[in-house]
Amino acid sequence: MVVIKIVWIIANTIAAAHFSSTFLVNSIYPANYKWVRFVDIMISPVVLFFFHGVIAVAMCLFASIATAVIITSFVGYGWALIAYFLFQRFADSLERPGLALEHPMFQPLGAFGGFLSSTFAISFFAGWWLMFLPFVLWLLLGFLCAEVAIRRLMRGDDGYDRRLAIFALNMIQGRLSGLNYWFGKIDRYPFP
Protein backbone atom coordinates (compact mmCIF):
# COMPACT_ATOMS: atom_id res chain seq x y z
CA MET A 1 0.00 0.00 0.00
CA VAL A 2 2.90 2.35 0.70
CA VAL A 3 4.21 1.88 -2.86
CA ILE A 4 0.82 2.89 -4.29
CA LYS A 5 0.80 6.01 -2.11
CA ILE A 6 4.32 6.97 -3.21
CA VAL A 7 3.47 6.45 -6.90
CA TRP A 8 0.31 8.50 -6.36
CA ILE A 9 2.33 11.33 -4.77
CA ILE A 10 4.84 11.28 -7.66
CA ALA A 11 2.04 11.39 -10.26
CA ASN A 12 0.35 14.28 -8.44
CA THR A 13 3.67 16.13 -8.22
CA ILE A 14 4.30 15.69 -11.95
CA ALA A 15 0.78 16.96 -12.75
CA ALA A 16 1.18 19.93 -10.40
CA ALA A 17 4.54 20.83 -11.92
CA HIS A 18 3.17 20.62 -15.46
CA PHE A 19 0.04 22.67 -14.88
CA SER A 20 1.80 25.26 -12.71
CA SER A 21 4.46 25.70 -15.41
CA THR A 22 1.65 26.09 -17.97
CA PHE A 23 0.13 28.81 -15.82
CA LEU A 24 3.40 30.60 -15.13
CA VAL A 25 4.67 30.44 -18.71
CA ASN A 26 1.46 31.86 -20.11
CA SER A 27 0.91 34.54 -17.47
CA ILE A 28 4.30 35.74 -16.20
CA TYR A 29 6.60 35.12 -19.15
CA PRO A 30 4.90 37.43 -21.70
CA ALA A 31 4.72 40.25 -19.18
CA ASN A 32 8.37 40.13 -18.16
CA TYR A 33 10.83 40.76 -20.98
CA LYS A 34 13.55 42.28 -18.81
CA TRP A 35 14.31 39.13 -16.82
CA VAL A 36 13.54 36.60 -19.54
CA ARG A 37 16.41 34.22 -18.80
CA PHE A 38 15.80 34.24 -15.03
CA VAL A 39 12.06 33.75 -15.44
CA ASP A 40 12.67 30.98 -17.98
CA ILE A 41 14.82 29.09 -15.48
CA MET A 42 12.46 29.64 -12.54
CA ILE A 43 9.34 28.41 -14.34
CA SER A 44 10.88 25.34 -15.92
CA PRO A 45 8.99 22.12 -15.12
CA VAL A 46 12.09 20.62 -13.47
CA VAL A 47 12.34 23.45 -10.93
CA LEU A 48 8.61 23.34 -10.28
CA PHE A 49 8.72 19.55 -9.91
CA PHE A 50 11.48 19.99 -7.34
CA PHE A 51 9.42 22.66 -5.53
CA HIS A 52 6.27 20.51 -5.41
CA GLY A 53 8.38 17.47 -4.51
CA VAL A 54 9.84 19.30 -1.51
CA ILE A 55 6.31 20.11 -0.35
CA ALA A 56 5.27 16.46 -0.76
CA VAL A 57 8.32 15.16 1.12
CA ALA A 58 7.75 17.69 3.90
CA MET A 59 4.14 16.52 4.21
CA CYS A 60 5.32 12.90 4.36
CA LEU A 61 7.86 13.69 7.08
CA PHE A 62 5.80 16.01 9.25
CA ALA A 63 2.30 14.58 8.79
CA SER A 64 1.81 11.24 7.04
CA ILE A 65 1.95 9.68 3.62
CA ALA A 66 -1.86 9.68 3.41
CA THR A 67 -1.94 13.42 4.15
CA ALA A 68 0.70 13.97 1.48
CA VAL A 69 -1.45 12.09 -1.04
CA ILE A 70 -4.46 14.28 -0.22
CA ILE A 71 -2.50 17.55 -0.30
CA THR A 72 -0.65 16.75 -3.54
CA SER A 73 -3.92 15.65 -5.13
CA PHE A 74 -5.52 18.98 -4.25
CA VAL A 75 -2.49 20.98 -5.39
CA GLY A 76 -2.40 19.19 -8.76
CA TYR A 77 -6.16 19.57 -9.13
CA GLY A 78 -5.99 23.28 -8.29
CA TRP A 79 -3.27 23.98 -10.85
CA ALA A 80 -5.14 21.97 -13.49
CA LEU A 81 -8.31 23.97 -12.81
CA ILE A 82 -6.51 27.31 -13.00
CA ALA A 83 -4.82 26.35 -16.28
CA TYR A 84 -8.13 25.13 -17.71
CA PHE A 85 -10.22 28.11 -16.67
CA LEU A 86 -7.77 30.89 -17.49
CA PHE A 87 -6.22 29.54 -20.68
CA GLN A 88 -9.06 27.65 -22.30
CA ARG A 89 -12.48 28.29 -20.84
CA PHE A 90 -12.27 32.04 -20.23
CA ALA A 91 -9.73 32.90 -22.94
CA ASP A 92 -10.45 34.10 -26.44
CA SER A 93 -9.30 31.71 -29.13
CA LEU A 94 -6.48 34.09 -30.08
CA GLU A 95 -5.23 34.27 -26.48
CA ARG A 96 -5.13 30.52 -25.83
CA PRO A 97 -1.70 28.90 -25.59
CA GLY A 98 -0.51 26.42 -28.18
CA LEU A 99 -1.30 23.42 -25.98
CA ALA A 100 -4.96 24.43 -25.69
CA LEU A 101 -5.19 25.04 -29.45
CA GLU A 102 -3.38 21.89 -30.57
CA HIS A 103 -4.84 19.55 -27.94
CA PRO A 104 -8.16 21.06 -26.84
CA MET A 105 -9.12 18.13 -24.61
CA PHE A 106 -5.87 17.97 -22.62
CA GLN A 107 -6.67 20.64 -20.04
CA PRO A 108 -10.29 19.56 -19.41
CA LEU A 109 -9.17 15.95 -19.05
CA GLY A 110 -6.34 17.06 -16.75
CA ALA A 111 -8.84 18.90 -14.57
CA PHE A 112 -11.14 15.87 -14.57
CA GLY A 113 -8.21 13.60 -13.66
CA GLY A 114 -7.32 15.95 -10.79
CA PHE A 115 -10.93 15.85 -9.63
CA LEU A 116 -10.90 12.05 -9.63
CA SER A 117 -7.52 11.91 -7.90
CA SER A 118 -8.55 14.28 -5.13
CA THR A 119 -11.93 12.59 -4.69
CA PHE A 120 -10.35 9.15 -4.42
CA ALA A 121 -7.64 10.46 -2.09
CA ILE A 122 -10.27 11.90 0.24
CA SER A 123 -12.47 8.82 0.13
CA PHE A 124 -9.58 6.43 0.76
CA PHE A 125 -7.56 8.38 3.32
CA ALA A 126 -9.88 10.90 4.99
CA GLY A 127 -13.56 10.06 4.95
CA TRP A 128 -16.41 9.84 2.50
CA TRP A 129 -18.23 12.77 4.14
CA LEU A 130 -15.49 15.11 2.88
CA MET A 131 -15.97 14.19 -0.77
CA PHE A 132 -17.64 17.55 -1.46
CA LEU A 133 -14.29 19.38 -1.09
CA PRO A 134 -13.15 18.91 -4.74
CA PHE A 135 -16.44 20.42 -5.90
CA VAL A 136 -15.98 23.35 -3.51
CA LEU A 137 -12.45 23.88 -4.87
CA TRP A 138 -13.86 23.82 -8.40
CA LEU A 139 -16.41 26.51 -7.50
CA LEU A 140 -13.92 28.72 -5.67
CA LEU A 141 -11.25 28.58 -8.37
CA GLY A 142 -13.88 28.90 -11.11
CA PHE A 143 -15.28 32.11 -9.66
CA LEU A 144 -11.78 33.44 -8.96
CA CYS A 145 -10.67 32.75 -12.55
CA ALA A 146 -13.91 34.27 -13.90
CA GLU A 147 -13.22 37.44 -11.93
CA VAL A 148 -9.64 37.51 -13.20
CA ALA A 149 -10.90 37.15 -16.78
CA ILE A 150 -13.50 39.90 -16.27
CA ARG A 151 -10.89 42.25 -14.81
CA ARG A 152 -8.47 41.43 -17.65
CA LEU A 153 -11.12 42.45 -20.19
CA MET A 154 -11.96 45.60 -18.24
CA ARG A 155 -8.28 46.63 -18.18
CA GLY A 156 -7.78 45.89 -21.88
CA ASP A 157 -7.48 48.36 -24.69
CA ASP A 158 -11.16 48.11 -25.61
CA GLY A 159 -12.30 49.79 -22.39
CA TYR A 160 -15.10 47.39 -21.46
CA ASP A 161 -17.21 48.06 -18.44
CA ARG A 162 -18.20 45.11 -16.23
CA ARG A 163 -21.40 44.34 -18.12
CA LEU A 164 -19.66 44.27 -21.51
CA ALA A 165 -16.82 42.16 -20.09
CA ILE A 166 -19.33 39.60 -18.81
CA PHE A 167 -21.04 39.69 -22.19
CA ALA A 168 -17.69 39.09 -23.92
CA LEU A 169 -16.91 36.13 -21.64
CA ASN A 170 -20.30 34.62 -22.35
CA MET A 171 -19.63 35.05 -26.06
CA ILE A 172 -16.23 33.36 -25.69
CA GLN A 173 -17.86 30.43 -23.91
CA GLY A 174 -20.63 30.17 -26.49
CA ARG A 175 -23.38 30.75 -23.96
CA LEU A 176 -25.25 33.40 -25.87
CA SER A 177 -27.77 32.25 -28.36
CA GLY A 178 -29.98 34.52 -30.42
CA LEU A 179 -32.86 34.21 -27.95
CA ASN A 180 -30.71 35.24 -24.97
CA TYR A 181 -29.49 38.26 -26.91
CA TRP A 182 -32.97 39.40 -27.90
CA PHE A 183 -34.51 38.84 -24.47
CA GLY A 184 -31.85 40.85 -22.68
CA LYS A 185 -30.02 38.02 -20.87
CA ILE A 186 -26.61 39.22 -21.96
CA ASP A 187 -25.25 40.04 -18.50
CA ARG A 188 -25.47 36.57 -16.98
CA TYR A 189 -22.40 35.84 -14.86
CA PRO A 190 -19.99 33.50 -16.68
CA PHE A 191 -20.48 30.59 -14.31
CA PRO A 192 -17.54 28.18 -14.37
Side-chain angles (χ1 to χ4, degrees), residues 44-59:
S44 69
V46 175
V47 173
L48 290 171
F49 177 77
F50 179 74
F51 174 72
H52 289 291
V54 166
I55 292 172
V57 169
M59 290 304 300

Side-chain angles (χ1 to χ4, degrees), residues 26 32 34 73 81 87 89 92 105 109 144 164 185:
N26 290 300
N32 195 352
K34 186 175 181 182
S73 295
L81 280 176
F87 302 121
R89 183 107 184 232
D92 194 5
M105 287 304 294
L109 287 178
L144 175 72
L164 284 175
K185 296 180 181 178

Side-chain angles (χ1 to χ4, degrees), residues 92-130:
D92 194 5
S93 59
L94 297 176
E95 297 173 348
R96 292 178 186 161
L99 182 66
L101 292 174
E102 294 171 6
H103 307 285
M105 287 304 294
F106 180 74
Q107 288 178 339
L109 287 178
F112 181 66
F115 175 78
L116 289 179
S117 175
S118 58
T119 304
F120 287 144
I122 285 176
S123 64
F124 290 152
F125 304 119
W128 61 269
W129 60 89
L130 296 173

Side-chain angles (χ1 to χ4, degrees), residues 19 72-85 114 137 141 145:
F19 286 113
T72 57
S73 295
F74 270 100
V75 168
Y77 177 48
W79 281 118
L81 280 176
I82 289 171
Y84 167 62
F85 282 134
L137 184 65
L141 289 178
C145 292

